[in-house]
Amino acid sequence: MLDPETGALERSVFSFMVNHHLQLIQRSQRTLVLLLVTVDRAHPLSSAALPILARYCLDTIRATDLMGRLDAHQLALAFPTTGETTAEQIIWRLETQLKKGRAAGTFPHELGVDWRVLVGTADGPATFDALIAPPS
């Protein structure tokens, strides 16, 4: 169930749990904030740096939040009981952790990290894969 390198949920488990929360949203009119965190795929240190980034995420998110590893360069964080404002605060804390890691030399300065925020709503996509699909 857990990725041994990052401590994140494996993609299939994470997807299953997010799909469950998206189904709940259909009935409750709440939202689900999802954060895709991608390290620069072209950089040679990206795969080695992902576990470090995952540790920053695990140290920052709450017990009710979820983190999954999507591939060698990408994590996803789901905030099922969080509004957009609180999610923005969590993202700010994650960016602060990343800056501290760069300053301490534990995370490569030259490695780019992309933060993409998605919001699942009752009117939006009903599955994790549909939610993260690039806009057409």
Side-chain angles (χ1 to χ4, degrees), residues 13 15 21-22 30 36 43 50 57 95 106 124 131:
V13 176
S15 177
H21 285 289
L22 287 171
R30 295 180 307 143
L36 297 180
H43 196 284
L50 193 68
C57 292
E95 289 175 333
T106 57
L131 183 61

Side-chain angles (χ1 to χ4, degrees), residues 28-63:
S28 68
Q29 300 299 312
R30 295 180 307 143
T31 60
L32 171 76
V33 178
L34 188 72
L35 174 64
L36 297 180
V37 184
T38 308
V39 294
D40 182 358
R41 294 177 187 276
H43 196 284
L45 295 176
S46 61
S47 294
L50 193 68
I52 298 166
L53 187 57
R55 175 55 39 209
Y56 298 157
C57 292
L58 287 172
D59 288 347
T60 303
I61 63 174
R62 302 157 309 161

